[in-house]
Amino acid sequence: MPTTSRERLVAAAFELFAGQGYDATTVDEIATRAGTGRSTFFRHFPTKDDVVLPDHEALLRRVDERLATASSAGLEVALREAAGIVLEHYLAEGETARTRYRLASSVPAIRDREVASVQRYVRLFGKHVHRWLDTEPDGPLRAELVASAIVIGHNHVLRQWLRGAVDDADTTRTLVDRALDHALAVLRGPAAAGAPTIVITGGERDVEQVVQQVRAALGRP
Amino acid sequence: MPTTSRERLVAAAFELFAGQGYDATTVDEIATRAGTGRSTFFRHFPTKDDVVLPDHEALLRRVDERLATASSAGLEVALREAAGIVLEHYLAEGETARTRYRLASSVPAIRDREVASVQRYVRLFGKHVHRWLDTEPDGPLRAELVASAIVIGHNHVLRQWLRGAVDDADTTRTLVDRALDHALAVLRGPAAAGAPTIVITGGERDVEQVVQQVRAALGRP
DNA sequence: GAACTCGTTGGTACTCAGTATCGTACTAGC
DNA sequence: GCTAGTACGATACTGAGTACCAACGAGTTC
């Protein structure tokens, strides 16, 4: 079983971090346990954190590619699928992702790195959403809101899966879809200048019922 | 003018960072320029970054206090005022805040710290919004969305002021108010289970016009 | 005024992350 | 068999952050 030194380093790091904690573990120990030199560690990972962090670069690239090909009509689908790419990556990682999550929950250094990564996804989504909103009033702000809403919706459900509160992959996918309904409502509901914008989410969409609700909501029938 | 050593350290750090860059400046240099010892630096600031970062602790505490006293009816007002507390802090800081912004824009280490700080505000807002949404469906997710939307709206305008794109304080306040309209729309638009929830933002709220819009939107008149 | 706190400071020594560099072993291709 | 490229190990260095101790000055008490 001659795994690569990179893989051995990752395995050793996960074991040591779990066993004696992140701060109490030195890069020297990780390298020694992996049967390699300290130089090799830093040749594979720029910092100590990176050995347990996922490869966001590749993931961001794939998300970027999916969003870049989105047409105006297919924007929502593209956003959902882009979020799906990330979700599927984590689901495929399985237990590794969950171990990392527990680590990030207890080690501030790793948590901060993760937060910074999340920000990169928000910026990426924002870049593309902005392309579709740039003619609209408050386009840049709304693009940022939508992008962040999508990432939050996705991560909200992802965390449930990482914690083990949800275990089934299909259930997780369904929940993400529902969470993205909320997120995309932000996209559909611009604050128009002339005619008001109306967002209807959830429930049965019986016209007369909705109309009645509108009359009631506006207060003066 | 015997300023405290803490103040001298902050001043020295800003000067050196601006002059020769963040990475090229050592804590030793900062301490020497401030006419103090290296020990004194770390006695005042836990890390090198912290010397130029704002005192988020105090700010978070004040925001927390404002939100804690919010009644159900005054929730939106409380959220706006809480955001206002942060805005006023930056406006009062003036040029210092702008210098820090330029620093954070160019130094990844500082930018990451700022991103982590922003996350703390989101969590704080989320904690309080959650109290008001916990009976509603998808309360935790919606609370997170609203909290993040408020912080994004606030920061979106704040950044314009920091960059100097907006210079007048009153204009900035007005823009934040408008940005928070978008953010709070997320709060008002829950995805109800039975009856749909309807969010109407912007424009004239003439009932018949809205009803007509609803009929058109739902497609089957 | 001497002794006694107590908070602020400076100095020294240490650990460890991260960088730079050099020599070496292994492999591929000609 | 030779060479170019690549992965590796070892060493030495910088600088952030920690731990500890000794000194100084301003009260305070006897």
Side-chain angles (χ1 to χ4, degrees):
Chain A
M1 36 114 263
T3 50
T4 72
S5 57
R6 184 189 176 92
E7 287 167 336
R8 289 202 312 274
L9 283 166
V10 172
F14 268 108
E15 292 163 12
L16 287 169
F17 289 167
Q20 50 183 284
Y22 175 82
D23 289 321
T25 304
T26 71
V27 174
D28 254 312
E29 288 179 282
I30 300 172
T32 304
R33 185 182 186 96
T36 169
R38 210 177 82 100
S39 319
T40 304
F41 181 95
F42 285 108
R43 202 167 281 123
H44 284 290
F45 308 100
T47 77
K48 181 180 166 185
D49 313 336
D50 287 285
V51 70
V52 290
L53 260 33
D55 184 4
H56 285 299
E57 302 303 330
L59 215 42
L60 282 162
R61 214 175 314 121
R62 288 175 56 202
V63 169
D64 193 26
E65 284 164 8
R66 176 61 189 93
L67 292 176
T69 65
S71 72
S72 177
L75 178 58
E76 288 200 14
V77 177
L79 293 171
R80 283 179 188 275
E81 286 187 7
I85 290 173
V86 180
L87 179 65
E88 291 304 326
H89 172 85
Y90 278 89
L91 291 177
E93 267 196 329
E95 211 46 45
T96 302
R98 287 175 162 167
T99 304
R100 188 192 311 118
Y101 175 72
R102 283 190 293 272
L103 216 51
S105 302
S106 60
V107 180
I110 297 184
R111 197 175 44 73
D112 285 358
R113 287 291 306 271
E114 287 281 18
V115 170
S117 296
V118 169
Q119 199 56 23
R120 298 182 61 191
Y121 287 93
V122 173
R123 267 197 288 274
L124 180 56
F125 275 88
K127 184 182 83 179
H128 290 285
V129 174
H130 183 259
R131 295 202 336 257
W132 301 108
L133 293 182
D134 58 356
T135 61
E136 305 205 16
D138 291 326
L141 171 57
R142 287 187 46 228
E144 216 177 320
L145 286 170
V146 170
S148 143
I150 290 169
V151 172
I152 285 179
H154 169 273
N155 285 354
H156 184 85
V157 177
L158 175 60
R159 269 198 302 275
Q160 295 181 349
W161 178 81
L162 286 170
R163 278 200 295 265
V166 178
D167 216 41
D168 178 60
D170 268 331
T171 306
T172 310
R173 293 187 186 97
T174 307
L175 287 176
V176 166
D177 260 345
R178 267 194 54 197
L180 291 184
D181 286 340
H182 287 281
L184 292 173
V186 181
L187 176 65
R188 295 189 208 105
T197 299
I198 298 157
V199 181
I200 302 173
T201 64
E204 285 302 318
R205 303 192 177 189
D206 176 75
V207 179
E208 289 312 320
Q209 183 190 344
V210 172
V211 167
Q212 198 177 346
Q213 253 186 293
V214 171
R215 291 187 190 279
L218 291 181
R220 293 145 301 226
Chain B
M1 37 117 266
T3 50
T4 72
S5 56
R6 184 189 175 92
E7 288 167 337
R8 289 201 312 274
L9 283 166
V10 172
F14 269 109
E15 291 162 14
L16 286 169
F17 288 168
Q20 51 184 277
Y22 175 82
D23 289 322
T25 304
T26 71
V27 174
D28 254 311
E29 288 179 283
I30 300 172
T32 303
R33 185 184 187 96
T36 169
R38 209 176 82 98
S39 318
T40 304
F41 181 95
F42 285 110
R43 202 166 282 124
H44 285 290
F45 308 100
T47 76
K48 180 180 166 185
D49 313 336
D50 286 286
V51 70
V52 290
L53 260 32
D55 185 5
H56 285 300
E57 302 302 331
L59 214 43
L60 282 162
R61 213 174 315 122
R62 288 175 56 201
V63 169
D64 193 25
E65 283 163 9
R66 177 62 190 93
L67 292 176
T69 65
S71 71
S72 177
L75 179 58
E76 288 199 13
V77 177
L79 292 172
R80 282 179 190 275
E81 287 186 7
I85 289 173
V86 180
L87 179 65
E88 291 305 326
H89 172 85
Y90 277 89
L91 290 178
E93 267 196 327
E95 211 45 46
T96 302
R98 287 174 163 167
T99 305
R100 188 191 311 118
Y101 176 73
R102 283 190 294 272
L103 215 52
S105 301
S106 60
V107 181
I110 297 184
R111 196 174 45 74
D112 285 358
R113 287 291 305 268
E114 287 279 18
V115 169
S117 297
V118 169
Q119 199 57 22
R120 297 181 62 191
Y121 287 93
V122 172
R123 267 197 288 272
L124 180 56
F125 275 87
K127 183 183 82 178
H128 290 285
V129 174
H130 183 259
R131 295 203 335 258
W132 302 107
L133 293 181
D134 58 354
T135 60
E136 305 205 17
D138 291 327
L141 170 57
R142 286 187 46 230
E144 217 178 320
L145 286 170
V146 170
S148 143
I150 290 169
V151 173
I152 285 179
H154 169 273
N155 284 355
H156 185 85
V157 177
L158 175 61
R159 269 199 303 276
Q160 296 180 348
W161 178 81
L162 287 169
R163 278 199 297 263
V166 178
D167 216 38
D168 179 58
D170 267 332
T171 306
T172 310
R173 292 188 187 97
T174 306
L175 287 175
V176 166
D177 259 345
R178 267 194 54 197
L180 291 185
D181 286 341
H182 287 283
L184 291 173
V186 182
L187 176 65
R188 295 191 206 102
T197 299
I198 297 157
V199 182
I200 302 173
T201 63
E204 285 301 320
R205 302 190 175 191
D206 176 74
V207 179
E208 288 313 319
Q209 184 192 345
V210 171
V211 168
Q212 198 175 346
Q213 250 186 298
V214 170
R215 292 186 189 280
L218 291 180
R220 292 147 304 225

